Amino acid sequence: MRDDWSQVAAGAARFARRTLRGEWHVIVVDPIRQLVRSGLSGIVLAFVAAFGVVFFHGIAQHPVGRRLVWHLGGVTADLPLWLALLRTPVSLYVPALDLPVWAGITQLFLAFALAELALGRGRTLAVAYLTTLAGTMTARVTVALGPGWWGFGLPPEAGRILDTGPSAAVVGLFTYLSVIRRAPVVFTLTGGSMVWESVAVPNLAGREHLIAVASAIVLGLLHGRRLPVPARLVARLVTPPPPPRSDPPVRRPGPPVHRPDPQRHPVPSFRLL
């Protein structure tokens, strides 16, 4: 019996060691190699995101700047939908009031750097924005539902809570990377911690993080799959049509050409004397 438990423990240790080694390579080593090849130009989004949070945090320290930041990126659940959608991209860079700024900047820089090196700029921006937008729309739904609904709804007072910060994008990027890279440890540390947060502290931020994790999982499962019909139609409309294939020129009939007959018009010959 003791030998059986020792074999199980040894197998579990080998599995854990193999899993950690694989995740270390796909999450850390491969992006570092890409960074060595591309240089600092490969993490431009990470620098822009970190600088944006620092910039808006510095402006918000002044009363006039605080009002400016609110009008540019302040999002609450009781705002009109069009105004919330307009401010959502800027709200990524407006730091949350109840979270430490510098610790958030470190997580933000790391998430955007790893995602940009592994996914590219376009996909990184798409995942960050879609997960943030999903969290913002969830806040509106929970406030509209009201208290109850098995703890999912929130009272109307939650609609006036400032809903900003890059936390949903950070959680979404880490979750997306862990899904497409098959990294269960990273997924547990990011997505699992957000699930625990939403259960332990049932507030607006916890629900948004939970929806960000769910949307990132869906996007990760759709990674590499064939585009749906509307997306293919849009891509076909945007892509310019190929140039027409050139055919060989066709000769058109012209006026008849009269050539002299050598029998009727002999060529004179000259003989040397």
Side-chain angles (χ1 to χ4, degrees), residues 15-16 39 56 58 84 90 96 120 122 132 137 170 188 200 233 235 260 272:
F15 175 77
F56 281 105
V90 185
T132 302
M137 294 297 102
V170 171
T188 304
L233 181 59
L272 294 176

Side-chain angles (χ1 to χ4, degrees), residues 29 35 49 51 55-56 62 105-106 109-110 112 131 135 160 166 182 191 193 195 212 214-215 219 232 247:
V29 176
L35 178 62
F51 175 77
F55 176 75
F56 281 105
H62 194 272
I105 289 175
T106 304
F109 184 86
L110 186 60
F112 270 87
T131 51
R160 294 188 291 270
R182 304 296 190 270
S193 62
V195 173
S215 59
L219 292 175
R232 294 203 306 269
D247 297 329

Side-chain angles (χ1 to χ4, degrees), residues 43 49 114 166 191 208 252 273:
I43 53 174
L114 292 176
E208 291 189 6
R252 297 183 178 180
L273 295 178

Side-chain angles (χ1 to χ4, degrees), residues 56 60 65-97 136 140 159-165:
F56 281 105
R66 190 178 300 112
R67 289 195 295 270
L68 178 62
V69 170
W70 159 251
H71 288 294
L72 289 177
V75 176
T76 56
D78 59 356
L79 279 178
L81 180 59
W82 67 270
L83 187 57
L85 293 177
L86 190 63
R87 293 181 179 181
T88 297
V90 185
S91 70
L92 280 167
Y93 306 104
V94 179
L97 299 178
T136 301
R140 302 179 69 89
R160 294 188 291 270
I161 298 177
L162 186 62
D163 181 23
T164 57

